[in-house]
Amino acid sequence: MKISIIGAGNIAWHLAKALEQADMDIIEVYSRDRRKAKSITQELYQSDATNSLNFKDSEAELFVMAVSDNAIEEVAAQIELPEESILIHTSGSVPLEVLEITKKMNPDCILGVFYPLMTFTKGKNVAFRTVPICIEGDTSETTHILSKIAKKVSNEVYEVNSQDRKVLHLAAVFACNFTNHLFALSKEILNEEGLNFEILKPLISETLNKGMAAKHPAEVQTGPAVRRDSNTIETHRQLIKDDEDLLKVYDTLTESIQDWHK
Amino acid sequence: MKISIIGAGNIAWHLAKALEQADMDIIEVYSRDRRKAKSITQELYQSDATNSLNFKDSEAELFVMAVSDNAIEEVAAQIELPEESILIHTSGSVPLEVLEITKKMNPDCILGVFYPLMTFTKGKNVAFRTVPICIEGDTSETTHILSKIAKKVSNEVYEVNSQDRKVLHLAAVFACNFTNHLFALSKEILNEEGLNFEILKPLISETLNKGMAAKHPAEVQTGPAVRRDSNTIETHRQLIKDDEDLLKVYDTLTESIQDWHK
């Protein structure tokens, strides 16, 4: 299958490579800034960098939008596609319907979502076969096509509709963005006293392993909140009493744990 | 060195085994409930189960209190030790001074803390050599003795005073208890929609790896909060608007991320 990639960020970089390695041809890479597109095409077997959204004469059959969530609708409104093309986006939080606007200029196109549930860093390889890919098509036939493509690059392919994808994205924010921020706060607490975050890493890793291996992470919850150890909680609160933001995080999560385990 | 263990919980179970494997002799294991002590002595080479805190005639030189935080002072007030014994506790949040009460009955004893910074589950082996051990002695000589013992069981031995140990414990609550609770909330969000938490695990693991490998976890923060993507944040808030507790966690952490990255 011949593919064009719209966008030149981290997802574009990783997806283009994964698709190419799965024997698909990346024909074009688009970016408003052609040099950015070029930074990706350079690493591919044979593809052109472009800064035009007019793909009328493209040989590609699949157009993969890997642009920021806010830019999806704007690009979808401008893109010109060959007949019977597939246009997909790769976002966790944008519903499929947003692409409908594309039909104004390309009435016979079909639409879908191809959401790799992963955090990508440019230049850092990811074992793509283990990346969950959530697909959604505007018809069951589209879903079938996307499923076939997704299975070429990953062992973890899920059909997820727009509503469920939104929920998945929300759950990912709790499990990943928020936890990473807690690591940042924890490191800061230690740094303020000249203590080294390294000392916590074995515990962090064991806590994660236990949580993931448990039937439910709540079953292996430890610490003063779940024990209702009010002395320790008060000692902790005293330590951070001058940092309103930190204290609010501490109190909110402590209450939430106690709410859960009552 | 000959050692007695006071307590029969998870830490006692793991510590007794680790000390024995490092060629120390566990002479006695105490629990108020002698059967509980017995469940540990059964797994050791040769040691007695006891429910008496009178160790006047014990051959042990080191007495390790591995009881709950709340019980430390009570046990310290009751214990009777042979001359020139060392009494230590294993808690992250209890200061060394709490043991001073022991001197009333045992004036020549020396005191310390031996805090393994790890979460232990009975029956689940931990690579003890990688467990950070935070030690503190009432004199530099005590610290030196505890350091020698700690190095026999772990490669990661740190001298940490009571104040810093409190801070370390607080940081561990943020990095471990709170993150584990966020995994629980995340799983619940998915379960409510019939979605499987398994799908998030590769992302969770990659997020952790990135955070730990970064110079600071804050540098690799992603998601709608740090991007100030108010549309996505509002979509998420709508999804959980009926769950006050969940919404409070979402808002508090979102604000805290934005506070940090402003």
Side-chain angles (χ1 to χ4, degrees), chain A residues 61-102:
Chain A
E61 305 144 78
L62 174 69
F63 294 80
V64 180
M65 273 207 275
V67 299
S68 69
D69 290 5
N70 297 333
I72 290 174
E73 194 162 6
E74 193 190 320
V75 171
Q78 290 173 37
I79 199 164
E80 294 181 76
L81 302 170
E83 280 176 19
E84 294 182 357
S85 301
I86 312 173
L87 180 70
I88 63 181
H89 77 62
T90 55
S91 161
S93 56
V94 174
L96 175 57
E97 304 91 77
V98 164
L99 300 184
E100 287 292 335
I101 197 165
T102 297

Side-chain angles (χ1 to χ4, degrees), chain A residues 119 121 181 206 210 221 256, chain B residues 119 121 124 180-181 210 256:
Chain A
T119 167
T121 310
H181 181 59
E206 178 69 8
K210 267 170 88 167
Q221 185 65 42
S256 179
Chain B
T119 168
T121 311
K124 181 177 182 290
N180 184 70
H181 181 59
K210 267 170 89 167
S256 179

Side-chain angles (χ1 to χ4, degrees), chain A residues 109-159:
Chain A
C109 73
I110 63 177
L111 306 171
V113 178
F114 190 99
Y115 168 46
L117 186 49
M118 186 43 65
T119 167
F120 295 107
T121 310
K122 217 161 185 166
K124 181 177 181 290
N125 277 320
V126 164
F128 220 94
R129 292 225 67 84
T130 66
V131 173
I133 297 180
C134 306
I135 54 158
E136 179 183 15
D138 58 355
T139 67
S140 60
E141 205 196 337
T142 314
T143 306
H144 183 70
I145 296 167
L146 293 179
S147 167
K148 270 175 72 176
I149 297 169
K151 281 175 182 162
K152 284 187 182 174
V153 296
S154 170
N155 299 332
E156 309 292 330
V157 177
Y158 301 84
E159 276 182 46

Side-chain angles (χ1 to χ4, degrees), chain A residues 119 121 124 166 169 171 175 177 180-181 183 186 188 201 206 210 212 216-217 221-223 235-236 245 256, chain B residues 119 121 124 166 169 171 175 177 180-181 183 186 188 201 206 210 212 216-217 221-223 235-236 245 256:
Chain A
T119 167
T121 310
K124 181 177 181 290
K166 238 192 279 182
H169 189 249
N177 299 154
N180 184 70
H181 181 59
F183 296 143
S186 172
E188 212 54 24
K201 288 188 179 176
E206 178 69 8
K210 267 170 88 167
M212 294 300 115
H216 200 302
Q221 185 65 42
T222 63
T235 306
H236 288 166
D245 172 56
S256 179
Chain B
T119 168
T121 311
K124 181 177 182 290
K166 236 191 280 182
H169 189 250
N177 298 154
N180 184 70
H181 181 59
F183 296 143
S186 172
E188 212 53 24
K201 289 188 178 175
E206 177 69 7
K210 267 170 89 167
M212 295 301 116
H216 200 302
Q221 185 65 43
T222 63
T235 305
H236 287 166
D245 172 56
S256 179

Side-chain angles (χ1 to χ4, degrees), chain B residues 188-200:
Chain B
E188 212 53 24
I189 289 166
L190 294 174
N191 285 357
E192 293 252 321
E193 298 289 315
L195 293 163
N196 195 331
F197 188 56
E198 289 301 313
I199 193 176
L200 271 189

Side-chain angles (χ1 to χ4, degrees), chain B residues 113-130:
Chain B
V113 178
F114 190 99
Y115 168 45
L117 186 49
M118 186 43 63
T119 168
F120 295 107
T121 311
K122 216 161 185 165
K124 181 177 182 290
N125 277 320
V126 163
F128 220 95
R129 291 225 68 83
T130 66

